[in-house]
Amino acid sequence: MSDWDTVTKIGAKVRGGDTSQRETVVRGKSALNAAQRQGAVVATQKKQSAGNAAKGASADGQRQAKVDRSDEIVKPKAVSHGVAQVIIRERNRVGMSQKDLAGKCHTVQSVIAELERGTGTPDHKVLTAIENAFNVRLLGDNVGAQKYPKRAK
């Protein structure tokens, strides 16, 4: 018998000598219950979330991977001393308490206290809210400068 006499079948519908069931992914509770009623072997696995899929690109995940790979102690990021001084100066200039500023920025007083001490983690959302509250730059270059300078008439 030559190769010309044999037929090779390719596709999902073709089953060879192996009659065992294929592994399938069950989506939904009803399909899981049906598989259990039929006596099929059911195994569950927790799906690991993709780093960028749901929440957008995050440098924190990359930083965490770097921390996991290194053997050294990595100091967590904190706001600079200059940013902390600008927050204190502007809050005192307006005569606002930490609690009032926290309410205006939709956060808690302890976060504002950590930022003023220079030990707080730089949260872009909170720092942007403080920038808008005081009209002063806290992110990027020119920290302490007016964010929106007044126009001359």
Side-chain angles (χ1 to χ4, degrees):
M1 188 174 212
S2 69
D3 282 343
W4 293 103
D5 297 331
T6 61
V7 178
T8 303
K9 296 180 181 180
I10 300 173
K13 303 282 183 189
V14 179
R15 296 236 191 237
D18 185 21
T19 58
S20 66
Q21 290 185 352
R22 292 175 30 201
E23 182 177 314
T24 59
V25 176
V26 177
R27 300 187 194 281
K29 193 75 169 167
S30 61
L32 178 64
N33 290 338
Q36 288 175 337
R37 279 194 300 271
Q38 292 175 357
V41 177
V42 178
T44 58
Q45 278 184 321
K46 182 173 181 173
K47 183 176 178 180
Q48 299 295 325
S49 65
N52 300 349
K55 298 176 185 157
S58 173
D60 193 43
Q62 294 172 354
R63 183 177 182 284
Q64 192 62 40
K66 179 182 174 185
V67 169
D68 290 342
R69 284 192 305 268
S70 71
D71 294 336
E72 304 160 5
I73 297 173
V74 178
K75 185 178 177 183
K77 290 183 180 177
V79 294
S80 69
H81 183 69
V83 171
Q85 292 302 314
V86 169
I87 294 172
I88 293 169
R89 182 189 73 212
E90 293 299 315
R91 186 177 57 79
N92 289 335
R93 181 182 61 82
V94 175
M96 192 182 279
S97 68
Q98 288 181 345
K99 188 174 182 179
D100 295 337
L101 178 59
K104 195 165 188 175
C105 297
H106 306 292
T107 187
V108 292
Q109 182 269 333
S110 60
V111 171
I112 302 297
E114 287 176 355
L115 289 174
E116 289 185 356
R117 279 195 307 269
T119 59
T121 306
D123 183 6
H124 187 77
K125 184 178 169 185
V126 174
L127 290 175
T128 304
I130 295 171
E131 277 186 341
N132 293 334
F134 294 139
N135 187 28
V136 68
R137 289 197 175 277
L138 297 175
L139 300 169
D141 296 335
N142 301 329
V143 173
Q146 271 192 326
K147 188 171 183 179
Y148 305 110
K150 295 184 178 185
R151 295 182 184 182
K153 291 186 179 181

